[in-house]
Amino acid sequence: MEQILIRANTPSDEQQTGTLHVRRFLKIEIVKNILIKLLIFWGLAFVTFFIPVYDVFLTPLFFVIGLYQALDAEKARFKIHHGQVACPHCKENIKFKRGILYEDHEVVCQKCTTVVKIALKDPYPERDGRKILT
Ligand SMILES: [Zn+2]
């Protein structure tokens, strides 16, 4: 488990800094996540291939969804354990639930319903080995 700094942005308010407790995905886990996504959606594409009429729509649909899901899985670097940041708009604490931190992560403030963009404070922490605490 490591602690990373995040920035919370909205288009009109001052940026806020918060912390996330995360676990970094290992390379092998990222590959596994990609393969699982491909297996699920391409499996569905394969099954729907045998449904008359609907196969025309469903097979390419699941094929494309599978590609997008796999690309998403490729971008996921951290598993969120917990964390919080002040809402840039109303300063209410936004708490993070367990989940995956995506590249263009967004959360909605429960108090003012502002959509807050979350970004890593240091966008390339893996480039500097000293900053990895694990
Ligand atoms: Zn708010």
Side-chain angles (χ1 to χ4, degrees), residues 11-129:
S12 56
D13 305 292
E14 201 183 322
Q15 178 180 294
Q16 295 291 323
T17 304
T19 53
L20 275 184
H21 292 263
V22 294
R23 194 174 66 75
R24 189 183 296 267
F25 282 123
L26 302 171
K27 286 251 157 57
I28 187 80
E29 286 178 302
I30 296 171
V31 172
K32 204 176 98 184
N33 288 342
I34 293 169
L35 289 178
I36 288 171
K37 291 283 159 84
L38 285 180
L39 200 73
I40 291 170
F41 286 98
W42 287 7
L44 282 170
F46 181 76
V47 170
T48 54
F49 180 74
F50 296 100
I51 304 171
V53 184
Y54 291 102
D55 64 337
V56 181
F57 312 103
L58 292 178
T59 305
L61 181 74
F62 282 120
F63 186 80
V64 172
I65 291 174
L67 281 180
Y68 274 104
Q69 291 286 322
L71 284 174
D72 261 358
E74 199 272 319
K75 286 180 192 163
R77 290 282 177 272
F78 298 101
K79 190 173 224 170
I80 301 171
H81 197 261
H82 65 274
Q84 59 181 39
V85 65
C87 170
H89 191 68
C90 69
K91 307 291 185 275
E92 177 82 359
N93 252 342
I94 300 172
K95 286 196 163 61
F96 287 86
K97 293 179 205 132
R98 279 168 187 268
I100 290 167
L101 182 68
Y102 288 101
E103 201 161 84
D104 308 307
H105 205 86
E106 286 183 345
V107 289
V108 177
C109 175
Q110 295 298 312
K111 193 178 172 192
C112 66
T113 66
T114 302
V115 177
V116 181
K117 286 190 189 302
I118 303 296
L120 293 181
K121 182 116 182 166
D122 177 4
Y124 303 107
E126 58 261 42
R127 283 188 187 170
D128 185 353

